[in-house]
């Protein structure tokens, strides 16, 4: 019974979906053959707002104690306000903020140096740091007219007559190219007659043939597939039947 049910389910899924009665082939919904259809403005849509939407339509109300901007920067102050005594909290807030004890004002462009600073004697460390950086002299030979080709070499005579060891000579020898190394070919080269008259093998013809992609472009009919008898008579396991069962929350009835 499970095999017949699974076979019927596979056949049902393999069946192509039927087209609707008003389906038109090769016609998109965003294009019209006779231009843009005219819109009927005689009918109007009636809107119904909820009580919450009606409340959101109105602008926000001002605070009951809100007072607008005064018409002029000069206004009349009452006698009671002029003779009122402020509290200790208002007096503390009215005082200006004190500066930091280490705060220093901006100096002038021309700073006046006191006489005591001018007469102070710097330490040895400050004198060492105050010295300018010295550079080694340029390697220039005297009486050479600035021509480096006339300079005498500074290499020791023993160094010039020294002989290198076998290991140094081995390292100094340039690396030889591979025995099968071939230099790059020219853009144009001559082809031999044997290569022109050579007959390619079947394997070479098969590799030279471009890949056929017609199978990817064709629309296969799933009903034309051949299913083996072993697949038709196969019995699904309980786990496969559980996975094949559609999820109840995703099942929707068609209108």
């Amino acid at each position: 019974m499970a095999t017949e049910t699974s076979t019927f389910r596979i056949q049902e899924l393999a069946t192509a979906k039927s087209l609707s009665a008003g389906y038109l082939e090769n016609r998109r919904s965003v294009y019209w053959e006779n231009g843009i259809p005219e819109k009927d403005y005689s009918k109007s849509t009636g809107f119904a707002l909820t009580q919450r939407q009606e409340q959101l339509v109105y602008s926000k109300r001002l605070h009951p104690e809100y007072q607008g901007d005064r018409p002029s920067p000069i206004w009349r102050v009452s006698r009671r306000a002029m003779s009122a005594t402020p509290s200790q909290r208002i007096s503390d807030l009215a005082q200006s903020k004190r500066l930091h004890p280490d705060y220093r004002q901006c100096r002038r462009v021309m700073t006046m140096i006191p006489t005591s600073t001018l007469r102070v004697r710097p330490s040895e460390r400050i004198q060492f740091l105050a010295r300018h950086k010295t550079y080694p002299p340029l390697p220039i030979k005297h009486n050479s007219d600035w021509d480096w080709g006339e300079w005498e070499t500074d290499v020791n005579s023993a160094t010039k007559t020294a002989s290198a060891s076998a290991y140094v000579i081995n390292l100094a020898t340039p690396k030889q190219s591979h025995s099968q190394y071939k230099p790059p070919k020219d853009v144009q080269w001559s082809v031999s007659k044997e290569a022109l008259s050579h007959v390619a093998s079947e394997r070479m013809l098969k590799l030279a043939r471009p890949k056929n992609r017609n199978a990817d472009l064709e629309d296969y009919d799933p009903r034309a597939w051949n299913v083996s008898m072993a697949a038709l008579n196969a019995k699904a396991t309980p786990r496969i039947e559980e996975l094949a069962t559609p999820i109840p929350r995703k099942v929707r009835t068609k209108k």
Side-chain angles (χ1 to χ4, degrees), residues 40-69:
D40 187 8
Y41 294 96
S42 60
K43 299 179 181 179
S44 59
T45 305
F47 298 95
L49 300 178
T50 60
Q51 184 177 3
R52 177 58 179 169
Q53 291 176 347
E54 292 180 355
Q55 294 177 359
L56 295 175
V57 167
Y58 294 104
S59 58
K60 188 176 180 180
R61 297 180 181 180
L62 300 176
H63 195 270
E65 299 181 0
Y66 169 76
Q67 296 180 1
D69 298 334

Short mmCIF file of all heavy atoms in Angstrom, two decimals, residues 40-69:
data_model
loop_
_atom_site.label_atom_id
_atom_site.label_comp_id
_atom_site.label_asym_id
_atom_site.label_seq_id
_atom_site.Cartn_x
_atom_site.Cartn_y
_atom_site.Cartn_z
N ASP A 40 -10.50 54.62 -15.76
CA ASP A 40 -11.84 55.14 -15.51
C ASP A 40 -11.82 55.94 -14.21
O ASP A 40 -11.62 55.37 -13.12
CB ASP A 40 -12.83 53.97 -15.41
CG ASP A 40 -14.27 54.48 -15.33
OD1 ASP A 40 -14.47 55.70 -15.51
OD2 ASP A 40 -15.17 53.67 -15.09
N TYR A 41 -11.98 57.28 -14.33
CA TYR A 41 -11.97 58.16 -13.16
C TYR A 41 -13.38 58.44 -12.62
O TYR A 41 -13.54 59.25 -11.72
CB TYR A 41 -11.31 59.49 -13.50
CG TYR A 41 -9.85 59.36 -13.81
CD1 TYR A 41 -9.41 59.26 -15.12
CD2 TYR A 41 -8.91 59.34 -12.80
CE1 TYR A 41 -8.07 59.12 -15.43
CE2 TYR A 41 -7.56 59.22 -13.09
CZ TYR A 41 -7.13 59.12 -14.41
OH TYR A 41 -5.81 59.00 -14.70
N SER A 42 -14.39 57.81 -13.21
CA SER A 42 -15.76 58.06 -12.74
C SER A 42 -16.02 57.40 -11.38
O SER A 42 -16.83 57.88 -10.60
CB SER A 42 -16.76 57.55 -13.77
OG SER A 42 -16.59 56.14 -13.96
N LYS A 43 -15.29 56.33 -11.11
CA LYS A 43 -15.50 55.63 -9.85
C LYS A 43 -14.43 56.07 -8.85
O LYS A 43 -13.30 56.33 -9.21
CB LYS A 43 -15.40 54.12 -10.06
CG LYS A 43 -16.44 53.59 -11.04
CD LYS A 43 -16.29 52.09 -11.22
CE LYS A 43 -17.31 51.55 -12.21
NZ LYS A 43 -17.17 50.09 -12.42
N SER A 44 -14.81 56.16 -7.63
CA SER A 44 -13.89 56.55 -6.55
C SER A 44 -13.93 55.48 -5.47
O SER A 44 -14.95 54.82 -5.26
CB SER A 44 -14.26 57.92 -5.96
OG SER A 44 -15.59 57.88 -5.45
N THR A 45 -12.84 55.37 -4.78
CA THR A 45 -12.71 54.37 -3.72
C THR A 45 -13.02 55.01 -2.38
O THR A 45 -12.50 56.09 -2.06
CB THR A 45 -11.29 53.78 -3.70
OG1 THR A 45 -10.99 53.26 -4.99
CG2 THR A 45 -11.17 52.67 -2.66
N GLY A 46 -13.84 54.40 -1.61
CA GLY A 46 -14.20 54.92 -0.30
C GLY A 46 -13.27 54.37 0.77
O GLY A 46 -13.02 53.16 0.83
N PHE A 47 -12.72 55.26 1.57
CA PHE A 47 -11.80 54.87 2.62
C PHE A 47 -12.51 54.92 3.97
O PHE A 47 -13.30 55.83 4.22
CB PHE A 47 -10.58 55.80 2.64
CG PHE A 47 -9.77 55.75 1.38
CD1 PHE A 47 -10.00 56.68 0.37
CD2 PHE A 47 -8.81 54.78 1.19
CE1 PHE A 47 -9.26 56.64 -0.79
CE2 PHE A 47 -8.07 54.74 0.03
CZ PHE A 47 -8.29 55.66 -0.97
N ALA A 48 -12.17 53.98 4.82
CA ALA A 48 -12.73 53.92 6.16
C ALA A 48 -11.57 53.90 7.14
O ALA A 48 -10.73 52.99 7.10
CB ALA A 48 -13.60 52.67 6.33
N LEU A 49 -11.50 54.92 7.99
CA LEU A 49 -10.43 55.04 8.96
C LEU A 49 -10.87 54.51 10.31
O LEU A 49 -12.03 54.67 10.70
CB LEU A 49 -9.98 56.51 9.10
CG LEU A 49 -9.45 57.19 7.85
CD1 LEU A 49 -9.10 58.64 8.15
CD2 LEU A 49 -8.25 56.45 7.29
N THR A 50 -9.94 53.92 11.01
CA THR A 50 -10.23 53.46 12.36
C THR A 50 -10.09 54.63 13.33
O THR A 50 -9.62 55.71 12.97
CB THR A 50 -9.27 52.33 12.75
OG1 THR A 50 -7.93 52.83 12.70
CG2 THR A 50 -9.38 51.15 11.78
N GLN A 51 -10.49 54.41 14.58
CA GLN A 51 -10.40 55.47 15.59
C GLN A 51 -8.95 55.83 15.86
O GLN A 51 -8.61 57.00 16.08
CB GLN A 51 -11.09 55.00 16.87
CG GLN A 51 -11.15 56.07 17.97
CD GLN A 51 -11.89 55.60 19.20
OE1 GLN A 51 -12.32 54.46 19.26
NE2 GLN A 51 -12.04 56.49 20.17
N ARG A 52 -8.05 54.87 15.82
CA ARG A 52 -6.64 55.12 16.04
C ARG A 52 -6.04 55.96 14.91
O ARG A 52 -5.25 56.87 15.14
CB ARG A 52 -5.88 53.80 16.17
CG ARG A 52 -4.37 53.94 16.33
CD ARG A 52 -4.01 54.76 17.53
NE ARG A 52 -2.57 54.89 17.71
CZ ARG A 52 -1.98 55.73 18.56
NH1 ARG A 52 -2.72 56.52 19.34
NH2 ARG A 52 -0.67 55.77 18.66
N GLN A 53 -6.43 55.68 13.67
CA GLN A 53 -5.94 56.45 12.52
C GLN A 53 -6.45 57.89 12.56
O GLN A 53 -5.74 58.83 12.19
CB GLN A 53 -6.35 55.77 11.22
CG GLN A 53 -5.63 54.45 10.99
CD GLN A 53 -6.13 53.74 9.75
OE1 GLN A 53 -7.17 54.11 9.20
NE2 GLN A 53 -5.40 52.71 9.32
N GLU A 54 -7.70 58.08 13.02
CA GLU A 54 -8.21 59.45 13.14
C GLU A 54 -7.45 60.24 14.19
O GLU A 54 -7.22 61.45 14.03
CB GLU A 54 -9.70 59.40 13.48
CG GLU A 54 -10.57 58.86 12.35
CD GLU A 54 -12.03 58.82 12.74
OE1 GLU A 54 -12.32 59.14 13.93
OE2 GLU A 54 -12.87 58.48 11.89
N GLN A 55 -7.01 59.58 15.26
CA GLN A 55 -6.22 60.27 16.28
C GLN A 55 -4.84 60.64 15.75
O GLN A 55 -4.30 61.70 16.08
CB GLN A 55 -6.09 59.39 17.52
CG GLN A 55 -7.40 59.15 18.25
CD GLN A 55 -7.23 58.22 19.43
OE1 GLN A 55 -6.13 57.73 19.69
NE2 GLN A 55 -8.32 57.96 20.14
N LEU A 56 -4.27 59.80 14.92
CA LEU A 56 -2.94 60.09 14.37
C LEU A 56 -2.98 61.19 13.33
O LEU A 56 -1.95 61.80 13.03
CB LEU A 56 -2.34 58.82 13.76
CG LEU A 56 -2.03 57.67 14.73
CD1 LEU A 56 -1.56 56.45 13.99
CD2 LEU A 56 -0.99 58.10 15.76
N VAL A 57 -4.13 61.45 12.73
CA VAL A 57 -4.23 62.49 11.71
C VAL A 57 -4.05 63.87 12.31
O VAL A 57 -3.43 64.76 11.72
CB VAL A 57 -5.57 62.36 10.97
CG1 VAL A 57 -5.84 63.60 10.12
CG2 VAL A 57 -5.56 61.12 10.10
N TYR A 58 -4.57 64.08 13.51
CA TYR A 58 -4.51 65.41 14.12
C TYR A 58 -3.07 65.73 14.55
O TYR A 58 -2.29 64.84 14.91
CB TYR A 58 -5.44 65.47 15.34
CG TYR A 58 -6.90 65.35 14.98
CD1 TYR A 58 -7.59 64.15 15.21
CD2 TYR A 58 -7.59 66.42 14.41
CE1 TYR A 58 -8.93 64.02 14.87
CE2 TYR A 58 -8.94 66.30 14.07
CZ TYR A 58 -9.60 65.11 14.31
OH TYR A 58 -10.91 64.97 13.98
N SER A 59 -2.73 67.01 14.52
CA SER A 59 -1.40 67.45 14.94
C SER A 59 -1.26 67.34 16.46
O SER A 59 -2.25 67.33 17.19
CB SER A 59 -1.15 68.90 14.51
OG SER A 59 -2.15 69.76 15.06
N LYS A 60 -0.02 67.28 16.91
CA LYS A 60 0.24 67.12 18.34
C LYS A 60 -0.16 68.39 19.09
O LYS A 60 0.17 69.50 18.68
CB LYS A 60 1.73 66.82 18.56
CG LYS A 60 2.06 66.45 19.98
CD LYS A 60 3.52 66.08 20.11
CE LYS A 60 3.87 65.70 21.54
NZ LYS A 60 5.31 65.32 21.68
N ARG A 61 -0.86 68.22 20.18
CA ARG A 61 -1.32 69.37 20.96
C ARG A 61 -0.18 69.90 21.83
O ARG A 61 0.69 69.15 22.27
CB ARG A 61 -2.51 68.97 21.83
CG ARG A 61 -3.72 68.53 21.02
CD ARG A 61 -4.86 68.14 21.95
NE ARG A 61 -6.03 67.69 21.19
CZ ARG A 61 -7.17 67.30 21.76
NH1 ARG A 61 -7.28 67.27 23.08
NH2 ARG A 61 -8.17 66.90 21.00
N LEU A 62 -0.23 71.21 22.06
CA LEU A 62 0.79 71.84 22.89
C LEU A 62 0.50 71.62 24.36
O LEU A 62 -0.62 71.28 24.75
CB LEU A 62 0.85 73.34 22.59
CG LEU A 62 1.19 73.72 21.14
CD1 LEU A 62 1.11 75.23 20.95
CD2 LEU A 62 2.56 73.20 20.74
N HIS A 63 1.49 71.83 25.17
CA HIS A 63 1.34 71.67 26.61
C HIS A 63 0.42 72.77 27.14
O HIS A 63 0.45 73.91 26.65
CB HIS A 63 2.72 71.76 27.30
CG HIS A 63 2.72 71.27 28.70
ND1 HIS A 63 2.45 72.11 29.77
CD2 HIS A 63 2.94 70.04 29.23
CE1 HIS A 63 2.51 71.42 30.88
NE2 HIS A 63 2.82 70.15 30.59
N PRO A 64 -0.42 72.47 28.13
CA PRO A 64 -1.34 73.52 28.62
C PRO A 64 -0.62 74.72 29.20
O PRO A 64 -1.16 75.83 29.19
CB PRO A 64 -2.18 72.78 29.68
CG PRO A 64 -1.39 71.56 30.03
CD PRO A 64 -0.65 71.17 28.79
N GLU A 65 0.60 74.56 29.71
CA GLU A 65 1.36 75.68 30.27
C GLU A 65 2.34 76.28 29.26
O GLU A 65 3.21 77.06 29.65
CB GLU A 65 2.11 75.22 31.52
CG GLU A 65 1.19 74.73 32.64
CD GLU A 65 1.97 74.30 33.86
OE1 GLU A 65 3.22 74.40 33.79
OE2 GLU A 65 1.34 73.88 34.86
N TYR A 66 2.20 75.92 28.01
CA TYR A 66 3.15 76.44 27.01
C TYR A 66 2.88 77.92 26.75
O TYR A 66 1.73 78.35 26.63
CB TYR A 66 3.00 75.66 25.70
CG TYR A 66 3.75 76.27 24.53
CD1 TYR A 66 5.12 76.17 24.42
CD2 TYR A 66 3.04 76.99 23.55
CE1 TYR A 66 5.80 76.73 23.36
CE2 TYR A 66 3.72 77.56 22.49
CZ TYR A 66 5.09 77.44 22.39
OH TYR A 66 5.75 78.01 21.34
N GLN A 67 3.95 78.69 26.67
CA GLN A 67 3.87 80.12 26.35
C GLN A 67 4.71 80.39 25.11
O GLN A 67 5.87 79.97 25.05
CB GLN A 67 4.37 80.98 27.53
CG GLN A 67 3.52 80.84 28.79
CD GLN A 67 4.04 81.69 29.93
OE1 GLN A 67 5.04 82.40 29.77
NE2 GLN A 67 3.36 81.64 31.07
N GLY A 68 4.12 81.06 24.17
CA GLY A 68 4.81 81.33 22.93
C GLY A 68 5.94 82.34 23.09
O GLY A 68 6.20 82.87 24.18
N ASP A 69 6.64 82.63 22.00
CA ASP A 69 7.73 83.59 22.04
C ASP A 69 7.19 84.99 22.34
O ASP A 69 6.12 85.39 21.89
CB ASP A 69 8.47 83.59 20.69
CG ASP A 69 9.08 82.24 20.39
OD1 ASP A 69 9.38 81.50 21.35
OD2 ASP A 69 9.28 81.93 19.19
#
